[in-house]
Amino acid sequence: MAFITILRLKKAILLLLIVRSFSSSAADDVSEDDSRAPKYPNCKNPFVLVKVKYWVDGVESGTLTGLSARFGAILPTWAEKTSRFPAVFTNPLSGCSTSLSMLNQSAALTIRGDCTYTAKAEIAQSGGAAALVVVNDEEEVTEMICSKNDTALNITIPVVSITKSGGDTLNKSMVAGKRVELAFYSPKRPLIDFSVAFLWLMAVGTVVCAALWSDLVGCEQNDERYNELSPKESATTEAAKNASEDEMVDITVKSAVFFVFSASALLLLLFFFMSSWFIWVLIVLFCIGGVEGMHSCITCILLSACRNHGRKTVKMPLLGEVSILSLSVLLFCVGFAVFWAVKRQASYSWIGQDVLGICFMISVLQIVRLPNIKVATVLLCCAFLYDIFWVFLSSYIFHQSVMIAVARGDNSGGEAIPMLLRFPRFLDPWSGYDMIGFGDIIFPGLLLSFSHRFDKANKRGLANGYFPWLAMGYGLGLFLTYLGLYLMDGHGQPALLYLVPCTLGTAVILGLIRGELKDLWDTGVGSNSSEKSSGDA
């Protein structure tokens, strides 16, 4: 009974992660323009990210990231077209009065505070500075704007803000008496982002693989994998079948609505109380779900290839007789998840995150099922409205997109939530990642899995089935998502805005054309109806 309790706990964790898994597709972008920041005739430059290269005693030492101001000169896009200027701190540091330091043809460094940004820029420019760098007092770049009174503004030098740590880096070298030089430029992202194609393949591949999983590996995603861990608990085939049905979770209309409200509550909780320890809770939950999914997938694949080897057992304390194969796979999966958690900040950590995430989602899509199109319509329509509200409309209430803020970890000291598939922008001068949330894969994936079970129960082929058309619809919806991402200059998109019409809409239209919408709507394929449909076929 203790073992069954563990299974129930794992299922509860899976469902918790499903509720949390709503997330939009997003990509970092050079343009950081904020429509809420005021613009005036002489103060309407877009906010763009700036690379600040620095040299110490003539040796290139690194690059800082800054943000341009609403005013001042537009920076070049190529490093070769910019000039190097010696860095000089203003005296006083606030830069609010004529500097006692010689600023002629230098990059003047000043700290935030005491006067307006435009006043700092005008004073630095009048002192002969070639550029102004404002060091923020926090670990973020600040948006430097104008006021309504700055009607006669005539600032012709570039003005850039950098983080506190960036200023400390420069100050450390300058205090040591070393010569520091700066150069400013703002490279553009490539027109075509090939990383999106790989992310598209991962998402579509995950959905299709999850729907076809039992056909591909010949292993049902149920208690069989745990029965391999503890063989004595599977005395008969009938008992195993009953255990399988117990592990399946059929979504109802009420639970579909509950998912959306629960996800909203959790999203707000993360938005307001996001912290490093909260992120660690999510990391631990992600690792537990990832280990469960990875163990399930690997065990099923190995058992389908060499079923006899999975019967060898060994006695373990507390657990008793367990399968050597399953235990070995479990230890490997735990080690993999721990290694990812420790190295999650490394440049290659996206690989481990994607492997754990894909395995988790495949596992979830074997356990959670949609019984018919009626429940699918309620779930996906609620998710559709949820995604649009929290990505686009929440900024009017909370002054920023709640979904994007949580996905990027804006309030967590740079830590991002792990419930995302990521792929790095290898050809992008700004690096960064393209991302898609688990919810954008799991929720349409539930519909695709339902369509495959419906086709299988009614012996449908490629021509008269629903699954092939919904798979193509999902691929098209994801393509439209990234097209919208491109047209919106990289600002996060609610992927379900495109995915729901392309998947649910396809199913409904096909059902109407074929005269089968009533069967799809009411009967569908559930725990009992699948057997009935198979018998009728």
Side-chain angles (χ1 to χ4, degrees):
M1 292 301 294
F3 208 85
I4 298 299
T5 302
I6 293 174
L7 291 181
R8 296 293 180 267
L9 177 59
K10 286 190 174 183
K11 187 165 72 175
I13 292 173
L14 287 175
L15 292 177
L16 173 62
L17 285 171
I18 289 175
V19 172
R20 174 59 197 90
S21 64
F22 286 100
S23 193
S24 62
S25 298
D28 302 319
D29 196 71
V30 177
S31 176
E32 295 290 320
D33 207 12
D34 188 345
S35 59
R36 295 166 298 162
K39 293 182 180 180
Y40 302 105
N42 294 325
C43 186
K44 56 183 179 180
N45 292 349
F47 296 122
V48 295
L49 292 176
V50 177
K51 284 186 178 290
V52 183
K53 294 180 68 174
Y54 65 95
W55 291 258
V56 178
D57 287 342
V59 178
E60 186 175 336
S61 302
T63 303
L64 306 174
T65 298
L67 186 70
S68 66
R70 271 276 187 253
F71 50 89
I74 301 297
L75 291 167
T77 57
W78 300 99
E80 295 77 11
K81 295 184 179 181
T82 188
S83 302
R84 289 157 59 172
F85 305 106
V88 177
F89 272 107
T90 60
N91 184 10
L93 280 176
S94 64
C96 293
S97 58
T98 303
S99 176
L100 300 179
S101 305
M102 293 296 294
L103 302 180
N104 190 41
Q105 289 302 302
S106 69
L109 274 70
T110 183
I111 61 173
R112 180 179 181 179
D114 293 348
C115 61
T116 64
Y117 297 119
T118 52
K120 294 176 187 288
E122 287 177 328
I123 292 171
Q125 181 174 285
S126 64
L132 174 66
V133 179
V134 178
V135 180
N136 199 8
D137 52 6
E138 298 177 356
E139 280 309 301
E140 61 181 14
V141 290
T142 184
E143 295 179 349
M144 295 181 287
I145 60 175
C146 309
S147 67
K148 293 181 179 180
N149 298 325
D150 295 320
T151 54
L153 200 62
N154 185 27
I155 297 173
T156 58
I157 61 173
V159 182
V160 176
S161 71
I162 61 175
T163 63
K164 182 179 183 298
S165 60
D168 291 341
T169 299
L170 300 178
N171 182 56
K172 184 177 180 181
S173 298
M174 295 170 68
V175 168
K178 299 178 180 180
R179 176 181 172 83
V180 176
E181 296 173 292
L182 305 178
F184 310 90
Y185 66 105
S186 179
K188 295 186 179 297
R189 294 194 187 279
L191 184 62
I192 300 176
D193 179 16
F194 294 101
S195 66
V196 170
F198 289 100
L199 193 63
W200 184 92
L201 286 173
M202 280 199 298
V204 174
T206 299
V207 167
V208 173
C209 182
L212 302 176
W213 184 253
S214 60
D215 296 339
L216 293 173
V217 302
C219 175
E220 293 294 335
Q221 195 88 350
N222 53 39
D223 278 346
E224 180 182 347
R225 62 187 183 274
Y226 297 109
N227 295 332
E228 290 296 334
L229 189 64
S230 183
K232 292 183 179 180
E233 291 190 15
S234 181
T236 65
T237 304
E238 187 64 28
K241 182 178 178 180
N242 292 336
S244 171
E245 290 298 329
D246 287 342
E247 275 301 296
M248 294 297 177
V249 177
D250 283 322
I251 298 177
T252 64
V253 171
K254 288 183 179 179
S255 62
V257 176
F258 174 75
F259 277 158
V260 175
F261 282 103
S262 299
S264 298
L266 185 53
L267 194 64
L268 283 175
L269 188 66
L270 289 170
F271 179 72
F272 286 111
F273 302 103
M274 181 79 79
S275 61
S276 58
W277 70 266
F278 209 148
I279 287 291
W280 265 109
V281 171
L282 295 178
I283 289 173
V284 170
L285 290 175
F286 171 74
C287 287
I288 292 173
V291 166
E292 197 278 343
M294 194 175 180
H295 173 264
S296 169
C297 293
I298 295 176
T299 302
C300 281
I301 293 172
L302 293 178
L303 285 177
S304 65
C306 47
R307 189 167 289 272
N308 291 334
H309 295 284
R311 302 297 176 182
K312 296 180 180 179
T313 60
V314 64
K315 283 193 174 182
M316 294 288 293
L318 300 178
L319 294 177
E321 194 174 5
V322 299
S323 165
I324 294 176
L325 174 64
S326 188
L327 182 62
S328 301
V329 172
L330 180 62
L331 293 176
F332 169 77
C333 295
V334 171
F336 186 92
V338 171
F339 180 80
W340 170 81
V342 173
K343 297 291 186 178
R344 68 189 184 283
Q345 301 288 2
S347 59
Y348 53 82
S349 65
W350 63 273
I351 300 175
Q353 181 172 327
D354 289 351
V355 169
L356 290 169
I358 289 171
C359 290
F360 163 71
M361 287 185 285
I362 290 175
S363 179
V364 167
L365 289 173
Q366 309 313 302
I367 294 174
V368 182
R369 304 185 303 187
L370 289 172
N372 50 50
I373 287 292
K374 178 173 68 175
V375 176
T377 301
V378 174
L379 178 65
L380 291 177
C381 287
C382 287
F384 175 83
L385 297 174
Y386 167 96
D387 227 13
I388 293 174
F389 176 80
W390 290 113
V391 174
F392 285 151
L393 304 181
S394 60
S395 60
Y396 293 101
I397 301 174
F398 302 98
H399 306 297
Q400 61 178 313
S401 171
V402 173
M403 183 80 79
I404 301 302
V406 171
R408 292 189 309 204
D410 288 354
N411 302 321
S412 61
E415 285 273 14
I417 63 170
M419 286 75 172
L420 300 161
L421 291 188
R422 302 188 298 159
F423 199 90
R425 292 169 167 259
F426 289 115
L427 302 179
D428 194 327
W430 292 97
S431 300
Y433 295 87
D434 285 305
M435 301 172 285
I436 183 169
F438 286 1
D440 302 328
I441 297 175
I442 289 178
F443 285 92
L446 289 170
L447 180 58
L448 267 72
S449 295
F450 162 80
S451 68
H452 175 65
R453 288 186 290 112
F454 184 87
D455 289 349
K456 193 173 180 180
N458 292 279
K459 297 182 179 180
R460 300 294 183 88
L462 291 176
N464 62 348
Y466 287 86
F467 174 73
W469 294 100
L470 265 65
M472 288 188 286
Y474 181 81
L476 174 63
L478 204 56
F479 170 78
L480 294 176
T481 299
Y482 288 110
L483 179 62
L485 198 65
Y486 169 75
L487 296 176
M488 293 285 287
D489 294 325
H491 293 289
Q493 292 290 293
L496 294 179
L497 171 65
Y498 309 92
L499 293 173
V500 171
C502 289
T503 53
L504 182 62
T506 300
V508 171
I509 291 172
L510 281 177
L512 284 171
I513 293 173
R514 296 172 178 175
E516 299 171 341
L517 186 58
K518 181 174 176 56
D519 292 337
L520 289 168
W521 186 267
D522 294 325
T523 305
V525 184
S527 56
N528 297 320
S529 60
S530 59
E531 297 176 6
K532 178 182 177 182
S533 299
S534 298
D536 293 340

